Amino acid sequence: MIQIRFLSGGDIDGLGITSTDVIAAVESVVDAHGRGHTVFEPRTHLVPDNGGVGHFNILRGHVSTLGEHGLSGVKVVGDFVPNYQKGLPSELALMTVYDPTTGVPLAIMDATLITEVRTGAMTAVGAKHLARPDSRILGHVGARGTAFANVTMLDSLFPLEEIRVTSRRPESREAFAARLREVTDTPVRAVATAEEAFDQADILVEASRLEEPTPLLRTASVKPGAFVVPYGTISAVELDLLDVMDKVVVDDWRESRSGRFGALRAHVDTGRLSEDTLYAQIGEIVSGAMPGREHPDERILFWHRGLSILDVALAHLILTRAETASAGTILDYR
């Protein structure tokens, strides 16, 4: 008989996984990617005939360094911006993981938390290697699920003196700011516009939820020494943004070139971002093959689209914790 462990969101919340655990797992798999110990294909999209309210992302990956034989996994995550009108998160995800030597499914788990924290952890890992260590002001646009992990993980790594947040809906940004004030002593200010959030910021994160391209992150807002992370599904940056960047780093160049979506999609499609103009993949930097930040005044941009190998790494962390704690529900497969 083959059995599968099912882990609900509640099961996962009860495992006590910390931000430190998540960042360590993500940095480790990014290092593995830089050393060639991962296998994955760029994400694909399923766009239903639903009036344009949302689509699904399908991510597939394998990490050879996890466990005795490695671990393979597939995640399906919905991206439905209007879900707030129904009291639902905009992103809901399901993860399945497999033994890569037999194909036997090992677990099915709610991957909503994985999706939220892995994005923030990737932002944090990028910042650790690419932002100024004395960064004081964080400007963050967007209040969706991934935003909380972005801000709190960055706050744990840098001596921030101010966090500025904004989003399209006033009630959303105010609620986000209030939630952040509950967990940090760093002053948090909700502002009305992206311009206010980004003004003279050391770290600029654009995580908006747009329905059509709109320039929220303007080139003039990026001061010398700034670290910029645009990763909204729909572009919120100006076309000439890359003209002022000293280094452009991505999570994976194949991933950057694929699909219809992404913050720098127009820059890739018009040739403004190419293999020749790209500085490095983040795995090359984390593994030591390429230097990260070399000078205090460098303007550095990090575009991460979300690699499936991060999901696999965090699924492995969750599964091993769950096995130790005998958490979840064991289901008969066949």
Side-chain angles (χ1 to χ4, degrees):
M1 177 180 291
I2 297 175
Q3 295 182 314
I4 300 176
R5 188 179 301 269
F6 172 73
L7 293 162
S8 69
D11 293 330
I12 294 169
D13 292 342
L15 296 175
I17 293 171
T18 67
S19 293
T20 301
D21 296 329
V22 172
I23 293 173
V26 166
E27 187 164 28
S28 178
V29 78
V30 170
D31 178 80
H33 181 47
R35 299 176 189 276
H37 298 316
T38 62
V39 180
F40 74 97
E41 293 297 328
R43 72 177 60 196
T44 58
H45 305 287
L46 173 64
V47 184
D49 182 11
N50 59 12
V53 297
H55 66 277
F56 296 96
N57 302 301
I58 298 93
L59 298 94
R60 306 145 292 164
H62 169 80
V63 182
S64 301
T65 54
L66 299 174
E68 184 178 358
H69 302 294
L71 188 68
S72 301
V74 178
K75 187 182 80 170
V76 179
V77 54
D79 194 344
F80 290 76
V81 176
N83 268 8
Y84 71 90
Q85 299 170 359
K86 300 179 180 180
L88 294 170
S90 60
E91 294 177 314
L92 292 165
L94 193 69
M95 184 90 192
T96 55
V97 292
Y98 307 84
D99 181 330
T101 65
T102 63
V104 169
L106 303 175
I108 301 169
M109 64 184 73
D110 177 352
T112 303
L113 178 67
I114 289 177
T115 302
E116 292 177 359
V117 299
R118 69 94 130 112
T119 302
M122 187 59 127
T123 299
V125 169
K128 181 178 176 180
H129 293 269
L130 301 173
R132 288 175 57 125
D134 61 348
S135 294
R136 296 290 195 271
I137 299 174
L138 166 62
H140 192 286
V141 172
R144 58 171 161 159
T146 58
F148 185 77
N150 274 334
V151 174
T152 55
M153 290 181 181
L154 289 170
D155 188 41
S156 72
L157 295 178
F158 295 92
L160 298 179
E161 296 176 353
E162 184 180 39
I163 296 169
R164 303 182 199 138
V165 298
T166 192
S167 65
R168 181 168 47 186
R169 295 182 293 126
E171 63 273 23
S172 177
R173 59 179 175 257
E174 292 294 344
F176 182 41
R179 184 184 177 198
L180 289 170
R181 294 185 190 110
E182 293 177 354
V183 299
T184 180
D185 294 328
T186 305
V188 179
R189 186 156 60 96
V191 298
T193 66
E195 287 79 7
E196 290 178 85
F198 291 144
D199 183 40
Q200 296 300 304
D202 300 297
I203 301 176
L204 299 78
V205 180
E206 180 282 303
S208 61
R209 304 290 287 161
L210 299 177
E211 296 177 2
E212 59 184 32
T214 306
L216 300 177
L217 173 53
R218 297 190 177 276
T219 306
S221 298
V222 183
K223 70 175 186 178
F227 173 60
V228 180
V229 184
Y231 73 84
T233 301
I234 305 298
S235 178
V237 302
E238 292 187 311
L239 264 181
D240 64 354
L241 180 68
L242 301 191
D243 295 349
V244 303
M245 292 299 163
D246 296 293
K247 291 175 179 173
V248 177
V249 178
V250 299
D251 50 5
D252 182 84
W253 178 235
R254 284 193 311 149
E255 186 77 43
S256 300
R257 289 178 297 172
S258 71
R260 299 166 42 190
F261 304 105
L264 300 187
R265 175 59 46 225
H267 299 77
V268 173
D269 291 345
T270 59
R272 291 170 183 263
L273 179 59
S274 67
E275 199 163 9
D276 292 331
T277 62
L278 178 70
Y279 172 69
Q281 297 181 141
I282 188 64
E284 295 174 293
I285 294 170
V286 172
S287 65
M290 296 279 285
R293 176 173 290 272
E294 298 175 276
H295 305 290
D297 288 342
E298 284 182 307
R299 293 180 175 94
I300 302 179
L301 182 145
F302 176 40
W303 178 32
H304 60 90
R305 296 199 61 212
L307 301 182
S308 60
I309 54 174
L310 275 61
D311 300 300
V312 175
L314 293 180
H316 179 263
L317 171 64
I318 290 169
L319 181 57
T320 53
R321 289 283 181 90
E323 290 171 343
T324 300
S326 298
T329 303
I330 304 299
L331 306 174
D332 290 339
Y333 176 61
R334 61 175 302 151

